[in-house]
């Protein structure tokens, strides 16, 4: 008889299908539980933003119902896409699927991580080794990947984009980009990045946000280009913490802007703008309101990693601000976990 750790089952909160549905045309996140509720809660603000006729409202209603149905099917459809890609897709740069190597990481990032796990490491010492973008907002920046790795990853992403493989939306606000778990890059790239490098760093920067207890993530690449997505409306992330790395290419505009935490009533007064630097990552709290200014020229590709700590979010869903109503999901789900026995006895044949 041997004792082994039970596999963790991740979940989502049921609010995923009712809360924070983004309506790009009106620049608004809404709660949606039916027509009457929508009219009651959002009628005035929708009219002020151009939803004035019966046709406008019926079109909005149809879009929201379609989005709710998409969210309900999301886990199963994503798993099906991942399986098809794994069996049929031929990478252009297969080396990016190898297990993450130190050679792919910027020397500054390796140094920051080495310091974070050293005896006696503290926040003061860490802040001497990275850039503080805003002390008040607790936003930081550090080089993450080398230029050759950014280039290789971009070539692979473009190759996938041009293939006939099925593709999921990165999130509800971005229509162009790649979900890294569907492409098969979670296990070799993103999980070791979170476990080996980001967790010790975040434990010092954000101990109060679960930085030392990160146990899942959602990683995706977003693309901004003429004729596609050009900007990103103000929002907060479904994550305790976020890493946003500029991968390239050549572009102007598109700066990030940051307000306060979403709970603050004056959260968007005097926003802070942060320019992208290729290869460098911006670290911030998931609840920090932020968006992206319009792209000027060129193409911009960014890797976004939502970092999650079930020990934090199991008590309070960051999207509905209530105790989560758990629904089983695929993969990491939305980072929630059920209470499960830590170990289980199994028979081992010898």
């Amino acid at each position: 008889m041997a004792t082994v750790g039970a596999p963790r089952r991740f979940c989502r909160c049921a609010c995923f299908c009712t809360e924070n549905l983004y309506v790009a045309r009106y620049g608004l996140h809404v709660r949606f539980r039916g027509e009457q509720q929508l009219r009651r809660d959002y009628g005035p603000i929708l009219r002020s933003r151009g939803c004035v006729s019966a046709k406008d409202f019926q079109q909005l209603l149809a879009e929201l119902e379609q989005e709710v149905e998409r969210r309900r099917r999301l886990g199963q459809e994503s798993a099906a896409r991942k399986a098809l890609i794994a069996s049929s897709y031929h990478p252009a740069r297969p080396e990016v699927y190898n297990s993450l190597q130190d050679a792919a990481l910027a020397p500054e990032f390796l140094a920051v991580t080495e310091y974070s796990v050293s005896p006696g490491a503290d926040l003061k010492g860490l802040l001497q080794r990275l850039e503080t973008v805003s002390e008040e907002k607790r936003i930081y920046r550090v080089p993450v990947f080398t230029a050759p790795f950014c280039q290789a990853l971009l070539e692979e992403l473009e190759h996938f984009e041009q293939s006939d493989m099925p593709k999921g939306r990165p999130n509800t606000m971005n229509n162009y980009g790649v979900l890294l778990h569907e492409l098969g890059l979670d296990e070799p790239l993103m999980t070791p990045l979170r476990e080996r490098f980001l967790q010790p760093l975040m434990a010092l920067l954000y101990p109060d946000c679960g930085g030392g207890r990160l146990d899942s993530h959602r990683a995706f690449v977003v693309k901004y280009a003429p004729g596609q997505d050009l900007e990103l409306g103000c929002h907060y992330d479904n994550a305790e913490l976020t890493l946003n790395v500029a991968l390239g290419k050549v572009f102007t505009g598109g700066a990030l802007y940051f307000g306060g935490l979403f709970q603050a009533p004056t959260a968007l007064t005097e926003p802070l703008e942060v320019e992208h630097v290729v290869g460098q990552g911006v670290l911030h709290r998931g609840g920090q309101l932020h968006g992206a200014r319009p792209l000027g020229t060129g193409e911009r590709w960014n890797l976004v990693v939502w970092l999650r700590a079930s020990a934090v979010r199991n008590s309070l869903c960051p999207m509905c601000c209530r105790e989560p109503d758990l629904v089983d999901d695929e993969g990491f789900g939305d980072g929630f976990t059920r209470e499960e026995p830590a170990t289980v006895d199994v028979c081992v044949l010898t």
Side-chain angles (χ1 to χ4, degrees):
M1 189 76 72
T3 301
V4 299
R8 305 196 73 185
R9 181 66 187 264
F10 286 90
C11 307
R12 60 175 168 84
C13 178
C15 79
F16 179 65
C17 291
T18 60
E19 310 281 333
N20 292 286
L21 279 70
Y22 185 60
V23 184
R25 187 166 60 259
Y26 303 120
L28 191 65
H29 284 86
V30 302
R31 175 187 302 109
F32 179 60
R33 300 189 178 182
E35 180 176 351
Q36 289 186 341
Q37 171 268 324
L38 186 68
R39 289 184 183 277
R40 181 180 65 249
D41 293 348
Y42 300 101
I45 190 170
L46 283 169
R47 285 191 293 274
S48 73
R49 298 192 181 190
C51 184
V52 293
S53 69
K55 183 179 178 181
D56 290 338
F57 191 86
Q58 289 304 313
Q59 183 179 2
L60 172 61
L61 200 59
E63 289 175 0
L64 290 172
E65 290 170 346
Q66 184 179 12
E67 173 62 13
V68 168
E69 186 57 30
R70 185 192 73 83
R71 292 187 179 203
R72 286 180 178 145
R73 300 192 309 262
L74 191 61
Q76 289 182 332
E77 292 187 352
S78 181
R81 285 192 298 267
K82 180 179 179 181
L84 179 58
I85 292 166
S87 65
S88 305
Y89 175 64
H90 301 288
R93 299 295 298 266
E95 68 271 21
V96 304
Y97 295 84
N98 296 333
S99 183
L100 179 64
Q101 302 296 310
D102 287 2
L105 300 170
E108 298 92 335
F109 189 64
L110 292 172
V112 162
T113 304
E114 183 178 358
Y115 174 78
S116 298
V117 298
S118 64
D122 59 17
L123 178 61
K124 181 178 179 180
L126 177 61
L127 294 182
Q128 295 173 359
R129 292 164 169 82
L130 47 72
E131 176 188 351
T132 298
V133 176
S134 170
E135 181 178 2
E136 176 197 359
K137 299 182 189 304
R138 299 172 70 187
I139 301 171
Y140 308 96
R141 176 155 54 191
V142 64
V144 177
F145 298 119
T146 64
F149 182 79
C150 286
Q151 181 63 31
L153 181 57
L154 266 180
E155 289 178 10
E156 177 57 30
L157 294 169
E158 286 190 297
H159 177 71
F160 176 72
E161 182 190 44
Q162 293 161 10
S163 74
D164 60 0
M165 290 289 102
K167 301 166 184 72
R169 287 170 59 182
N171 57 66
T172 57
M173 296 180 71
N174 291 97
N175 298 297
Y176 298 92
V178 180
L179 289 161
L180 292 195
H181 78 276
E182 292 188 3
L183 193 52
L185 286 171
D186 245 5
E187 294 81 0
L189 178 60
M190 300 317 306
T191 295
L193 183 68
R194 167 173 55 84
E195 293 179 344
R196 290 175 51 203
F197 299 99
L198 291 173
Q199 180 152 325
L201 171 60
M202 296 300 205
L204 289 179
L205 287 176
Y206 305 104
D208 53 327
C209 303
R213 297 180 286 177
L214 304 174
D215 54 0
S216 72
H217 61 266
R218 179 178 174 83
F220 49 91
V221 172
V222 292
K223 177 189 177 187
Y224 297 86
Q228 300 183 4
D229 290 337
L230 290 177
E231 61 187 306
L232 186 63
C234 187
H235 65 286
Y236 63 95
D237 297 337
N238 186 0
E240 278 62 70
L241 301 164
T242 297
L243 168 67
N244 185 328
V245 184
L247 299 176
K249 297 179 174 182
V250 177
F251 58 88
T252 61
L256 294 172
Y257 63 88
F258 291 91
L261 292 176
F262 77 92
Q263 300 97 331
T266 58
L268 267 182
T269 57
E270 299 182 4
L272 168 74
E273 292 209 358
V274 181
E275 297 292 337
H276 299 279
V277 179
V278 173
Q280 297 197 9
V282 176
L283 308 167
H284 63 87
R285 292 171 290 180
Q288 202 85 42
L289 282 172
H290 60 284
R293 301 299 187 196
L295 185 73
T297 61
E299 288 185 14
R300 179 167 71 83
W301 296 68
N302 283 57
L303 167 65
V304 179
V305 189
W306 288 350
L307 297 160
R308 292 161 166 171
S310 62
V312 174
R313 61 181 35 227
N314 283 352
S315 300
L316 187 72
C317 171
M319 304 311 287
C320 65
C321 297
R322 297 188 294 268
E323 182 179 347
D325 179 9
L326 298 180
V327 178
D328 287 338
D329 205 356
E330 303 287 338
F332 286 132
D334 268 347
F336 302 95
T337 57
R338 298 184 186 278
E339 291 296 327
E340 295 177 347
T343 60
V344 59
D345 292 333
V346 298
C347 292
V348 178
L349 299 179
T350 59

